[in-house]
Structure formats: C-alpha cells, structure tokens
Amino acid sequence: MARAMALSLLLLVACFNLASAADSLTVVRADRKVDLLTQVVRVSTAWKVQNNGAEPVREVKLALTSEQAERVAFMEVVIKETKGKGKNAAVGLLLPVIRYSQEGSVIVYTLALPREIKEGEIATFESYVALTHQLKPFPEEITQSDSQLVKYHDTAYILSPYPVKVQTTMFKLSSSRLESFTKVNPTKVADTEVRYGPYEDVEALERKPITLHFENNQPFAVVEELVREIEISHWGNVYITENYNKLAHQGARLKGGFSRFEYQARPGASGVSAFRHLLAKLPVHANSVYYRDEIGNISTSHLRSDFRRTELELEPRYPLFGGWKVPFTLGYSVPLQDLVFKAADGSRYLNISFGSPFGNIVVDKLILKVVLPEGSYDVSATVPFPEGSFEQRQEKKFSYLDTVGRTVHVIVKKNSVMEHQFKNVLVHYRFNPLGMLVEPLMLVLAFFAFFASCIAYTHFDFTLSKSTSAYLAQVQRDQVIDVISKLQKVLGIRQTAEERLEASLKDVLRTGDITACKADRKNADAVWKSTSKDLKALLDTLQSTMKTVPGKPSTTKPSVIVTKVETLLLKEKEMVEKLQQKQTFIVDAYERKLSGKEIDARIAPVQEKLESLRQEVSNLRSSLED
Amino acid sequence: MAVGPGEFGVPLFSPVSEPLHPLLAVLLITIGLLVMASFFIGLLADHAYLISSLSSTMTAALLFIFVSGKYQAHGRAHTIKQQRKLYTKVWIFLSSYEVTSTKFSRSLGYEFATGGLASVFLGFGTLFLLLWTGVYV
C-alpha cells in the first residue's frame, strides 16, 4: 500500500517535471501588429523567447482561440538564422507545425525548431497568421449612401502559451474613423493606429477581450466555393478553368433599394463600400482567356499582358453591394512547358500555385482538381499546407478521345487567401510516352472502320436469285467488260512498243544511228509476238462468253462487240506490219546511204497508210468503252 | 517526393511543336483525301455511282489542295507550281488502279491496304487539325 502510494507520488512528480520542461520557455518580449486594412486580418508578431528551464528545448508553441483556429487561412513562423558571414547571412527558416492540440477553448500549435534552444539562451522568431471572417459588419444593414462600419473582437494581451514579460500590440485601421474601442490602459490612438501596451508580466493564456468598431470600406469579396480545374494535355497545353460559384459581398447588407442614378451621379458619396472591379494576375503566357457565366460571355473585361506578367481586370455585370452575389467562370490556357516538368527519376510533375489569381478575395472552400492525361499512374501530390487542413481524393473524368477516363487528383481546402498565390502544389505522376499515341490511333481506327464498311458493302452479294435472266445478263456484261479492259491493256502495251519504235526512227533521221534502231526493232518484235498470243486468247474467251447467253432479245449487241473487236484486231495487225515495213525501208536506206529525198519518197505511201490505220484503231478503241 | 526543395525539373515540351500543327494537318489530310479518292475509285470501278464518288472525293481533294496551297505558299520555300506537279504525280499514280481494275481483277488485300493507309493519314491529319484549332486532346 505504502509502496503504491510512493509510486504514484513519483509518477506525479515525473509528470510535473515533464510539464515544466515543456513550459520552460518564457517570452521576454512580444510585439504584435494587426493589419485591419482589408477584410483579411493579418497578425504579425515578433517573439523573443528565453529558455529558463534546465534542459534544451526543441519545440515552440503558438496559440489561437478556437474561433480563430476555424478561420485561419495562412500561418507561417519564421526563425532567422545566420549562416556564414556577410550581408545576406540572415536566412529565414520556416518552422513546420508538427501537431496541434485543444486545451479548453484554445488551440495550441507546436512547431519544431531547426536547432534547440539551450538553457539561458534567447531566440527570436516571427509569426504571421492570416484570418478570415473576423471583421463583422455592424450595423449589419446599411443604405446606399452609408459608410460601412465593422467590429473586430480580439484580446489586448497576446494569446501565448508562455508567460510574457513585455508586450505591445498595434492595430492598423483602414480609416481614421474609429467609432469606439475598449480601453485597456495604456491605450493610445494616433490617426489610423491604435496602440495597446506595453503590458508587463502577463500570465500564459491570459486574455483581455477588446472590441474595435471602425470604418472599413474595402471590398469584402468572398467566394463561397471555387472549383479550379487544371487539365493537362501532353500535346502542348494546360487548360485552367475556374468556376466561381457565387462571389458575394459579405459586408454590411444593402437595405432600402439600389438607385442607379445616385450611384452613378455621386460616386464618392454613394456605394462607397461596393466594388466593381476584380483584378487577377494570370501566368505570364496565359492565352485564350474567357470570362462567362450562365447567360453567356461577359465582355466587360480588360486583359493587359507584357513579357513579365498578364493582368486581367474583370467587371461583373453589376456592381456588388452588401449581400449581392455573382457567379462566373474564368478560363485560360497556359503552354505545357510553363507548368509541367520532368524530374530526374523520369516522373513528371505539375507545379501550380494553389490560390485563386484574384487578390483581395477570400475563398471559403477551394477545390483544386488536376486532370491528368489518360494513362497516368502513380499519382501523388505535395501540398504546402499542414496535414489535416486539407483533404485529398481521386476521381475519374471523361474528356476528349478517352477510353478508360482520366485520373483526377482533387485537393480541398477551406479558407484561402491571397497569400496562397505564392504557395505551389506539386502533383507527381508517371506517364508512358507511348500512351500519347492512343488518341491518334483511335481516330485512325474510326476512319478505318468506315473504309472497312465500304469494302464489306461492295463485296457482299445481295442478289436474291442467281438464275433470273436479268442477273445473268448482268454477269455476262461484267465478263465482257473484263475481257475488253484486258484487251485494252494489251493493245496499250503494243502501242507503247510502237511509239518507241517510231521515236527511234525519228532519231535515226536526225542522227543516223542504226544500231539503236535495230535493237528497238528487236524488242518491238518480241513484244508483238508475245502479245499476239494474248490477243488470240482474249478473243476466244470473248466469243465463248457471247455463246452462253440464254434467250435474251438484245443479243445483237454482243455480236456487234465481237465484230468490232475482230476488225480492231485485224486493223491493228496491219498497222504493226506496215510499221515494220517502214522500219526495214529506213534501215535499208541508211545502209545503202541513199539521200534524204529518196528515203522520204519510199516511205511516203507507207506513212500515209500508217496514219489512217492509226486513226481507225484509236477510234475503235474509244468506241469499245461503253 | 521526387523533387526535393531546391531541385529543379526540366520543362516538358510537346513532341510536336506548335508552329508545325497547321502544316502537318494540311499535309496529312490532303494526302489522306487523295488516297481515299483512289480507294473509292478502285472500290466502285464498275458501279453506276462511280461518277459521284469520284467527283466528290476529287473536289474534296482539290479544295484541300487549294487551301493548303494558299497557306503553304506563304510559309514554305516550295512554289505553288512545284506543289501542283507533285500532287498530279501522286494522283496519276494512285488512279492507275482505276484503269486496270474491274469487278474480277480487284483484290481485297489492295483495298484494305489503301483503306488502311488512307485512314492512317486522315486520322493523324485530324489529330493535328484538332490541335491546330485549339482542342488539345
């Protein structure tokens, strides 16, 4: 029993020791600047901590109230280290958040230090937190000519998990009109600044709530949901489509109607808290920008681009007053080489900024969808936010020329502000380059299917009966045409031989070279001999096809064709013989060295006959093509 | 994962650079149309509607040639005359199938080959046509 008690006491003491070791830091000095210029509250605090414990400390903690923690959009803690010597020796190192825990109504974030703080040592670091929806409009409804007043709730003492020795806080307001503020001595108001402090010896997690009520006419543009879809095509382009599902003015709501006349006539005094323009900073080589909504294209926009940046100024269809909403879609294309890179190990990655390109807007829910080309695998993402503040999942999308669908990597985050424009998301994936051929191959197959169907159509036999006279006549006609075309082919060969011989004869008349002529004659003779056999065979088949026609009245036509063919063949034979004759004459004449005139005299009659025969042959041939 | 802090990857470029898109589209589709014309002539050598198929594919091919001639004359070193010679040579070669084919002398293999070749050219030409017009598939 006594031993158990001793053990439990020991445990208690050990726990206390651990607890004290964790809280052995004290803040020597803390200076906070709260920026209340726009709708986003930006708190930058400079901390100077000292290790008063017995052990070196590796972690440092930061605290936020649970309401604030719900709306924290951006948190960054930087510690300055001197690396080496020189002017640029001071380097800011980012401290990663390793865990957060809830203690009562306060969320405590624990950050890891790069280098431990030894006993008695002092370290300085800066924290920067951006919070949304902290400025609440009060009064909640205003007329068109009123100015917008907002209330801001905070504490005069900096919320810290460590005791603070000396601290000051400064609030920077957007205008010098300060309706009311809580006084916590010492407090000083100077134009647009309210200074609280210095306060001394404040306990850990001690709070002193204060409220500031001041004028803020900056645009309170809040997007309820933004879907950014980034579609990568390896053929050279990245499509970015941003769907703003209701951009709303979440400041003081407008009451009492909207007078367009007053708004336009007195711009300084009417609708001071309303806004008309939105400025977006797009990637440098952004092109094909479009701005549209459900109705259609919105033409009130200006795109200004130079070699350094591209700026897009949008003007919605109507100015936005409190409580008014406008949905729209913005889309643009960026060349592939600006956003997608190849890593050293062969994988590819997309490097894109996370936030919306518009400055000064708050996005309540940002969904980033990266559509990777078909055939991508091993998809993973490096997201620059602490674990637990975002969600990831994968979907499938069917787009142009897709078979199995494209992998989509989705990242969902709440509370996005302008600082996220400088935070890049890396989406890694692997892709086989041959996969790019799937798309053209699909087109090729589509065209080939069309051609194959044409072939199938013409090769299928759709006749109902194979014994009707009409069908048989058709078959006979096809056969006749077949034979005649073969005939034409053979005659064509013979004609080329003939023309070649004629040409060589002309050459002889010019140059007097007989040997070439003789060689040509030999070739021509060979051709004529072989083709005459073919001609005979064709004539026989023609006659046989003519015979097998059943009782059809128009049998005169086939016989006409047969006679025509026969006369043609005879004439052609005669022509060939005459040409051969002419050639022998000329060769003879040259061997005997006769004069030009005599040669001409001898071949003249032959030549005439030849010409007339040629005419007849060509006439018959063309008439056969019926 | 694969890229640590401070590491840089190499930018990824398209396999076919952008200025080539219009050129390749026009060239491939023109050749595809010519091959398709020859395919149809060979296929329908003995049918009555040969004339319609012939004329339609010829006009399509000529239109494309005209368009490409207009475009290419600005960008390339060849003159229009040289192009026309080239196209007529191709045309004559391809249509030689016509004068020698009938219902009994055409071959299935030749037709599939011509159809396949035409579909390859037309398929790739259509891909580059899509890329040229901004539909990055």
Side-chain angles (χ1 to χ4, degrees):
Chain A
M1 182 63 183
R3 203 176 287 173
M5 271 199 69
L7 265 168
S8 55
L9 256 173
L10 238 129
L11 271 165
L12 262 165
V13 170
C15 281
F16 272 125
N17 272 338
L18 276 167
S20 60
D23 289 321
S24 61
L25 289 175
T26 50
V27 180
V28 172
R29 193 183 169 92
D31 294 301
R32 177 171 61 152
K33 283 193 188 55
V34 181
D35 180 333
L36 298 171
L37 292 171
T38 63
Q39 58 168 320
V40 176
V41 174
R42 298 181 161 102
V43 183
S44 33
T45 318
W47 303 86
K48 203 178 196 175
V49 293
Q50 183 174 35
N51 186 358
N52 287 330
E55 289 162 5
V57 167
R58 311 223 66 167
E59 295 169 349
V60 76
K61 291 189 190 155
L62 226 63
L64 285 176
T65 65
S66 36
E67 296 93 38
Q68 282 181 331
E70 245 178 60
R71 294 293 191 181
V72 66
F74 188 74
M75 185 156 77
E76 211 174 59
V77 182
V78 175
I79 191 165
K80 281 203 165 37
E81 294 265 315
T82 31
K83 284 202 165 145
K85 294 191 180 21
K87 218 165 55 155
N88 295 328
V91 170
L93 288 172
L94 229 62
L95 302 184
V97 176
I98 44 180
R99 67 175 169 277
Y100 60 92
S101 56
Q102 181 142 10
E103 295 175 21
S105 65
V106 167
I107 309 262
V108 176
Y109 297 85
T110 313
L111 304 120
L113 287 165
R115 204 173 47 79
E116 60 191 14
I117 306 177
K118 297 203 174 36
E119 304 82 347
E121 204 184 321
I122 295 181
T124 53
F125 59 91
E126 281 172 28
S127 74
Y128 180 83
V129 179
L131 304 158
T132 62
H133 293 276
Q134 299 297 305
L135 300 177
K136 304 218 177 343
F138 189 84
E140 282 166 20
E141 287 190 0
I142 56 171
T143 65
Q144 190 177 338
S145 45
D146 285 341
S147 195
Q148 185 171 265
L149 300 167
V150 296
K151 258 196 180 159
Y152 175 58
H153 303 279
D154 202 352
T155 69
Y157 300 146
I158 302 174
L159 191 63
S160 157
Y162 311 114
V164 185
K165 280 227 173 59
V166 180
Q167 59 169 282
T168 62
T169 302
M170 189 177 70
F171 294 95
K172 213 169 184 183
L173 306 175
S174 52
S175 90
S176 49
R177 182 174 161 191
L178 181 62
E179 288 287 311
S180 69
F181 63 99
T182 320
K183 270 199 171 60
V184 179
N185 278 328
T187 313
K188 198 165 72 162
V189 178
D191 196 24
T192 55
E193 281 177 16
V194 184
R195 195 179 294 263
Y196 282 81
Y199 302 113
E200 292 185 12
D201 285 326
V202 176
E203 290 296 317
L205 298 179
E206 191 183 329
R207 291 185 255 187
K208 197 114 183 134
I210 58 168
T211 306
L212 295 170
H213 191 200
F214 58 98
E215 181 192 36
N216 189 336
N217 283 322
Q218 293 297 311
F220 273 56
V222 176
V223 180
E224 289 164 29
E225 189 183 83
L226 166 59
V227 179
R228 280 189 92 200
E229 194 175 291
I230 296 164
E231 190 170 320
I232 300 174
S233 162
H234 282 134
W235 291 103
N237 196 50
V238 177
Y239 287 121
I240 301 177
T241 313
E242 303 183 5
N243 202 353
Y244 290 82
N245 185 12
K246 304 238 178 61
L247 173 85
H249 185 301
Q250 288 196 354
R253 283 193 302 277
L254 181 73
K255 74 174 177 201
F258 169 60
S259 161
R260 172 71 71 171
F261 171 72
E262 244 192 69
Y263 178 66
Q264 282 184 323
R266 301 192 294 153
S270 174
V272 284
S273 66
F275 62 91
R276 289 172 69 162
H277 299 280
L278 297 162
L279 191 67
K281 289 202 164 58
L282 303 179
V284 177
H285 296 125
N287 55 63
S288 311
V289 184
Y290 60 89
Y291 168 47
R292 67 167 86 108
D293 66 1
E294 269 186 17
I295 300 169
N297 181 50
I298 305 172
S299 56
T300 47
S301 60
H302 302 277
L303 186 67
R304 285 181 279 268
S305 66
D306 59 23
F307 70 96
R308 264 180 305 145
R309 60 174 184 271
T310 302
E311 276 178 2
L312 176 68
E313 192 183 316
L314 298 181
E315 203 179 309
R317 292 185 193 276
Y318 42 87
L320 281 164
F321 279 82
W324 292 12
K325 302 180 190 187
V326 64
F328 62 90
T329 306
L330 170 68
Y332 48 99
S333 298
V334 182
L336 182 70
Q337 55 265 27
D338 283 357
L339 294 177
V340 180
F341 303 90
K342 250 187 137 147
D345 66 348
S347 70
R348 302 165 183 215
Y349 64 94
L350 167 78
N351 185 6
I352 196 146
S353 72
F354 182 80
S356 160
F358 290 98
N360 285 338
I361 66 166
V362 169
V363 182
D364 277 346
K365 187 170 178 195
L366 210 163
I367 301 173
L368 182 74
K369 293 189 181 180
V370 179
V371 182
L372 300 166
E374 216 181 24
S376 312
Y377 55 99
D378 261 355
V379 182
S380 69
T382 312
V383 184
F385 303 123
E387 288 291 327
S389 63
F390 63 95
E391 283 167 23
Q392 284 192 76
R393 60 172 188 263
Q394 293 205 350
E395 291 175 353
K396 260 207 185 321
K397 180 185 175 196
F398 288 92
S399 184
Y400 308 114
L401 297 182
D402 277 347
T403 46
V404 294
R406 303 185 185 208
T407 320
V408 183
H409 194 85
V410 183
I411 301 168
V412 182
K413 186 179 190 326
K414 290 197 168 50
N415 289 328
S416 169
V417 285
M418 195 172 81
E419 279 82 354
H420 290 157
Q421 281 178 9
F422 307 102
K423 286 279 177 194
N424 284 11
V425 173
L426 300 176
V427 179
H428 304 273
Y429 64 100
R430 283 188 185 274
F431 185 77
N432 185 2
L434 285 178
M436 281 175 74
L437 281 177
V438 171
E439 287 148 355
L441 274 173
M442 210 183 305
L443 288 168
V444 167
L445 278 172
F447 278 108
F448 188 69
F450 165 67
F451 287 119
S453 64
C454 285
I455 292 171
Y457 177 70
T458 51
H459 277 264
F460 282 159
D461 198 5
F462 290 116
T463 54
L464 295 166
S465 149
K466 278 198 164 50
S467 55
T468 55
S469 57
Y471 177 73
L472 289 171
Q474 179 70 21
V475 168
Q476 190 201 46
R477 188 167 175 277
D478 288 337
Q479 286 173 327
V480 166
I481 290 174
D482 186 28
V483 169
I484 288 179
S485 67
K486 287 207 183 96
L487 205 74
Q488 299 277 31
K489 207 177 7 173
V490 170
L491 286 175
I493 295 171
R494 289 170 75 105
Q495 187 174 16
T496 45
E498 194 190 301
E499 280 167 9
R500 211 180 309 134
L501 191 60
E502 195 73 26
S504 74
L505 285 176
K506 284 206 178 73
D507 278 342
V508 161
L509 291 171
R510 274 192 306 118
T511 58
D513 182 14
I514 311 173
T515 45
C517 186
K518 278 201 182 143
D520 279 334
R521 167 70 190 273
K522 265 214 182 91
N523 289 341
D525 280 343
V527 163
W528 284 325
K529 212 173 184 178
S530 61
T531 50
S532 60
K533 282 201 210 113
D534 294 332
L535 283 177
K536 211 160 164 32
L538 284 174
L539 192 58
D540 290 336
T541 43
L542 190 66
Q543 282 170 338
S544 65
T545 53
M546 289 303 142
K547 286 207 175 79
T548 56
V549 63
K552 241 286 186 163
S554 61
T555 40
T556 49
K557 214 163 172 219
S559 53
V560 161
I561 294 172
V562 173
T563 42
K564 256 197 195 168
V565 168
E566 284 173 346
T567 44
L568 168 63
L569 289 181
L570 281 170
K571 287 247 160 44
E572 211 264 341
K573 207 163 175 195
E574 224 188 299
M575 191 174 83
V576 163
E577 283 168 4
K578 283 283 184 288
L579 185 60
Q580 288 172 327
Q581 222 181 22
K582 175 177 166 186
Q583 201 264 354
T584 35
F585 275 161
I586 290 180
V587 167
D588 231 7
Y590 264 90
E591 280 177 348
R592 289 202 249 141
K593 304 268 193 309
L594 289 177
S595 70
K597 270 214 188 119
E598 285 193 17
I599 296 171
D600 286 339
R602 282 195 193 211
I603 63 173
V606 183
Q607 191 74 7
E608 274 178 45
K609 204 73 199 296
L610 214 56
E611 293 300 330
S612 64
L613 281 173
R614 277 224 185 93
Q615 271 294 90
E616 284 174 31
V617 164
S618 58
N619 284 345
L620 281 169
R621 275 184 77 176
S622 49
S623 76
L624 269 177
E625 295 178 17
D626 61 345
Chain B
M1 185 183 108
V3 179
E7 264 180 53
F8 287 104
V10 177
L12 187 69
F13 285 92
S14 161
V16 179
S17 73
E18 206 180 308
L20 283 179
H21 291 337
L23 185 68
L24 277 171
V26 163
L27 202 68
L28 290 172
I29 292 192
T30 315
I31 297 176
L33 281 174
L34 291 172
V35 178
M36 182 169 84
S38 123
F39 167 83
F40 276 118
I41 292 164
L43 196 70
L44 309 164
D46 55 335
H47 286 202
Y49 41 94
L50 160 73
I51 305 296
S52 65
S53 75
L54 190 92
S55 55
S56 63
T57 42
M58 265 184 77
T59 40
L62 281 172
L63 259 171
F64 222 100
I65 292 167
F66 177 72
V67 165
S68 74
K70 245 194 170 171
Y71 164 78
Q72 284 184 11
H74 299 305
R76 302 190 57 204
H78 287 166
T79 61
I80 304 184
K81 225 183 188 174
Q82 271 180 302
Q83 278 170 44
R84 289 208 181 276
K85 262 201 234 162
L86 169 71
Y87 288 137
T88 38
K89 272 195 216 143
V90 171
W91 177 250
I92 287 167
F93 168 72
L94 290 173
S95 54
S96 60
Y97 186 55
E98 171 214 357
V99 293
T100 57
S101 79
T102 62
K103 190 170 181 176
F104 300 98
S105 70
R106 67 190 175 198
S107 78
L108 200 67
Y110 182 88
E111 281 172 1
F112 269 114
T114 319
L117 198 68
S119 64
V120 164
F121 278 114
L122 285 171
F124 276 92
T126 312
L127 172 78
F128 286 112
L129 186 70
L130 283 170
L131 293 180
W132 181 17
T133 53
V135 177
Y136 278 88
V137 296

